[in-house]
Amino acid sequence: MKKTLLLLGAAFAATTAIAAEPVVYQGAAIMQLSPNGRYGVSAYGDGNIEIFDFEKNERVTFTCSEDGGNPYYGSGLGNGISNDGIVVGSTTMQGNAAYYYNGEWKTLTTPANENLINSPNGITPDGSRICGNIGNAAFGLESSLMCIPAVWNRNADGTYGDYVLLPYPDKDMFGEAPQYVTAISISEDGKTIAGQMVDNRGFYTEPVIYTEGADGKWSYTMPIHNLYNPDHLELLPNPGEAPAAPDLESYMTADEIEAYNAALKAWQDEGTWDYSKYPNKEDYLSEEGKTRYKAAMEEYNVAYQAWMEKYEEYDNRVREILAASPNFVFNNVLLSADGKTLGGTQEAEDPDAIGGWGPTPSIYTPTLINLETKELTKISSLGSLQATCLVDGGILATTGLMSEAVVAYVLKADGTGQPLYDYLCAKSPELASWCKKNLVHNVEVYDAELDDYVVKEMTLTGLPFATADMGIITTCTQAVWEDWDFYTYYFNMAQLSGVDNITASHPAVVKAVGGIIYVEGDVESLEVYDLAGKLIRTVADPGQAVDLQLGHGAYIVKATCSDGATQSIKLAL
């Protein structure tokens, strides 16, 4: 473990009339934030992980073994950081279940079989419950299901108890055993968990919601299963595995097998590896054996052809149903804190690209599902995008994954949106100037018409993540414009909004200490806004001190004096 004190400078200084600059973390790809924005995790699948405490200005690094063994670190796939810095993940290549807290990694209970892959993925803000996947002990000959959903509950002494399996669908939409049933993200109260079911063949992914009732019992629902197979096409029976071809050796006598093995050894000992002289088993088979083997092959060919006809009919029907059904990107599961909104990304084949060589390109569409009304909203007006995290009233998304020149977007639930670059630049002229300097680069790209590489100015904002109120925003990208290193940009919006402190010449004084506002002077009212400009609270005749009782996030408090003058301060909780 390596702990580094971050030199964040003005980004964590006291609020002044001059907005602070965003912070740039080189070598980091922060793709998770705690709900309160204090902690972040950088992990991109190479066995290393970094945990950031922005409040203490610390960056803790855990590196994998140099010999390719353990330790090998990974982070959870969902909302995997609590508000007090618990990070769920793993410390082995086999994928054990573990969590980090207060400088130490500890393991969670899992099945005894070390060959099973386990994955804790989400944790409640208070750390009381963890959700994740447990390797299915029956996987193999008994079942094709690789993992199943589970939770770990925290004990009074701070440790976590044995895993508790959640109920789950044991059949996919075609009546077969699924490949995966997962638990990825968890609500603030820990009573709602979102995951996915992947069908037997691995082609179709459908959301699953687990809910804990008042009696403590868990149940599951498939919230948009009614949208599957909208044309109500008949499900055809699965013809099963193809018939096995006859084994030639089973038609040979022991002496014939011995003669063949001797010839094979002589060919190997010769060492020329001349495959024109490689011994053929049929040459060592008696005439009677050849006759029986030929008859068996003819019978097999007839059976195989009949099976193939049924399989192609079955496969075509499956593909027809899947093409008309909503299919989601695997492990892209986003759940709101109140457990009422599910976010993710739908994936469909690009109809304009079908017919070429290789896999058919996909079109990606960020999607919101109201879990109370089961209403599904696709946000497709800005092209193919993949969702990264939920925010109040919308969702953040990106044009692609790392290793590409990617652009981040802020999308609203009504289907509208804008590039993250535009959203940031609108906050203040100072922030717009910084974004122009740091997020716009000259990149060498391939021009198909010229059949050559050209230099093009591009805005690169990468993969965006944020707290629900957008008070803290991070976005990570690879420097395709120079060294291909990872960079994360950290925006504390309370310090970057461009709103000045209270005017010193005015007789009234308004100060914030935590969530309490202290007032000196003739202040008639206080108004509290979020960083999007939405009024969230009004206090008339505030007196000398007011506890605003606000949740974690960034706010602007506006004071109106009796003479009509208005003054504002920034507040970060």
Side-chain angles (χ1 to χ4, degrees):
M1 180 184 78
K2 178 182 177 183
K3 182 181 289 187
T4 305
L5 180 65
L6 301 176
L7 302 177
L8 302 186
F12 290 92
T15 304
T16 67
I18 300 174
E21 286 194 345
V23 183
V24 181
Y25 298 111
Q26 186 172 359
I30 297 175
M31 289 187 269
Q32 287 187 33
L33 291 174
S34 60
N36 60 3
R38 174 175 173 176
Y39 300 95
V41 169
S42 169
Y44 37 89
D46 63 351
N48 303 314
I49 191 171
E50 290 189 300
I51 300 171
F52 293 77
D53 184 336
F54 302 117
E55 186 174 294
K56 290 186 176 180
N57 304 352
E58 288 181 354
R59 178 176 183 171
V60 182
T61 304
F62 294 90
T63 56
C64 62
S65 172
E66 294 182 356
D67 61 7
N70 294 321
Y72 191 92
Y73 299 96
S75 61
L77 299 170
N79 51 342
I81 316 174
S82 71
N83 277 339
D84 58 352
I86 302 174
V87 176
V88 300
S90 61
T91 60
T92 68
M93 293 192 71
Q94 292 78 14
N96 68 339
Y99 66 96
Y100 168 86
Y101 182 60
N102 198 24
E104 183 180 2
W105 284 94
K106 297 181 180 180
T107 57
L108 297 164
T109 60
T110 57
N113 188 339
E114 294 182 355
N115 295 320
L116 299 177
I117 297 177
N118 310 287
S119 176
N121 295 316
I123 186 169
T124 55
D126 64 1
S128 61
R129 176 170 283 168
I130 295 171
C131 72
N133 314 326
I134 291 294
N136 182 19
F139 173 67
L141 295 178
E142 297 181 43
S143 173
S144 62
L145 180 57
M146 299 184 196
C147 66
I148 49 183
V151 295
W152 294 263
N153 298 312
R154 188 165 61 185
N155 299 318
D157 62 0
T159 63
Y160 288 88
D162 291 341
Y163 65 88
V164 178
L165 293 180
L166 300 178
Y168 60 89
D170 59 0
K171 299 292 183 183
D172 67 12
M173 58 289 300
F174 301 107
E176 307 289 337
Q179 272 194 17
Y180 302 93
V181 183
T182 65
I184 304 295
S185 293
I186 188 167
S187 64
E188 184 174 22
D189 63 5
K191 297 182 181 297
T192 304
I193 294 172
Q196 293 175 322
M197 178 185 67
V198 180
D199 79 304
N200 182 270
R201 304 199 308 174
F203 291 156
Y204 184 82
T205 302
E206 183 177 355
V208 184
I209 298 296
Y210 313 91
T211 305
E212 184 183 31
D215 58 358
K217 294 182 179 180
W218 287 89
S219 60
Y220 75 87
T221 58
M222 314 291 283
I224 57 168
H225 193 70
N226 61 303
L227 302 180
Y228 153 76
N229 192 11
D231 299 323
H232 305 291
L233 299 177
E234 180 185 1
L235 296 179
L236 301 178
N238 187 339
E241 297 293 330
D247 179 16
L248 189 149
E249 195 168 295
S250 64
Y251 295 87
M252 299 172 69
T253 65
D255 291 341
E256 290 168 348
I257 294 173
E258 183 178 356
Y260 167 77
N261 288 335
L264 178 62
K265 185 176 185 306
W267 179 84
Q268 293 170 334
D269 292 343
E270 188 178 83
T272 61
W273 303 103
D274 181 358
Y275 281 90
S276 66
K277 298 179 180 179
Y278 190 87
N280 187 341
K281 281 187 179 180
E282 284 198 54
D283 294 339
Y284 297 84
L285 190 63
S286 67
E287 291 301 320
E288 186 270 339
K290 289 180 180 179
T291 299
R292 290 191 299 116
Y293 176 67
K294 180 180 179 182
M297 281 298 299
E298 290 175 350
E299 183 178 340
Y300 161 75
N301 288 333
V302 171
Y304 183 82
Q305 183 61 34
W307 174 86
M308 178 56 72
E309 291 175 0
K310 291 182 179 179
Y311 179 80
E312 287 181 347
E313 186 178 10
Y314 166 78
D315 184 62
N316 289 337
R317 177 55 53 86
V318 167
R319 292 177 182 275
E320 190 176 2
I321 291 173
L322 294 184
S325 304
N327 189 18
F328 286 80
V329 171
F330 185 45
N331 288 332
N332 187 221
V333 181
L334 314 171
L335 183 65
S336 63
D338 61 8
K340 296 180 179 180
T341 302
L342 177 65
T345 305
Q346 287 194 61
E347 180 179 6
E349 290 185 337
D350 184 349
D352 296 329
I354 294 176
W357 289 96
T360 302
S362 295
I363 293 177
Y364 298 98
T365 306
T367 302
L368 296 171
I369 301 172
N370 185 318
L371 296 177
E372 294 181 318
T373 65
K374 305 301 185 291
E375 181 183 2
L376 183 148
T377 301
K378 298 171 66 174
I379 307 175
S380 58
S381 61
L382 296 173
S384 181
L385 299 171
Q386 295 194 48
T388 57
C389 77
L390 287 181
V391 294
D392 293 340
I395 195 167
L396 301 187
T398 180
T399 55
L401 304 177
M402 308 305 289
S403 79
E404 304 177 42
V406 296
V407 180
Y409 283 82
V410 181
L411 308 177
K412 295 182 179 180
D414 62 7
T416 62
Q418 63 181 322
L420 177 64
Y421 181 87
D422 294 348
Y423 175 89
L424 294 171
C425 288
K427 295 302 177 183
S428 73
E430 293 84 3
L431 185 53
S433 177
W434 186 95
C435 290
K436 174 67 176 176
K437 179 180 178 181
N438 292 272
L439 303 180
V440 180
H441 304 278
N442 291 322
V443 181
E444 190 178 65
V445 296
Y446 178 72
D447 189 310
E449 292 184 2
L450 298 176
D451 191 23
D452 198 0
Y453 286 87
V454 298
V455 175
K456 180 180 179 181
E457 184 179 85
M458 301 182 69
T459 301
L460 305 176
T461 43
L463 276 69
F465 299 86
T467 53
D469 64 355
M470 296 281 283
I472 301 295
I473 301 173
T474 64
T475 186
C476 58
T477 187
Q478 275 189 290
V480 296
W481 59 91
E482 52 181 26
D483 58 3
W484 286 85
D485 197 1
F486 286 100
Y487 286 83
T488 289
Y489 305 101
Y490 173 95
F491 302 86
N492 186 327
M493 299 308 294
Q495 299 170 0
L496 301 172
S497 63
V499 178
D500 292 340
N501 276 329
I502 195 157
T503 306
S505 62
H506 198 280
V509 177
V510 181
K511 296 181 180 179
V513 179
I516 299 177
I517 303 298
Y518 294 92
V519 178
E520 296 179 13
D522 188 12
V523 176
E524 289 191 341
S525 67
L526 295 176
E527 294 175 337
V528 183
Y529 297 84
D530 63 19
L531 294 183
K534 178 183 178 182
L535 177 65
I536 60 175
R537 188 157 302 172
T538 300
V539 179
D541 298 323
Q544 294 182 341
V546 179
D547 185 354
L548 295 176
Q549 298 181 345
L550 299 172
H552 291 291
Y555 306 91
I556 296 172
V557 180
K558 178 182 176 182
T560 301
C561 300
S562 58
D563 62 359
T566 60
Q567 302 166 333
S568 301
I569 62 171
K570 304 169 194 174
L571 177 62
L573 300 177

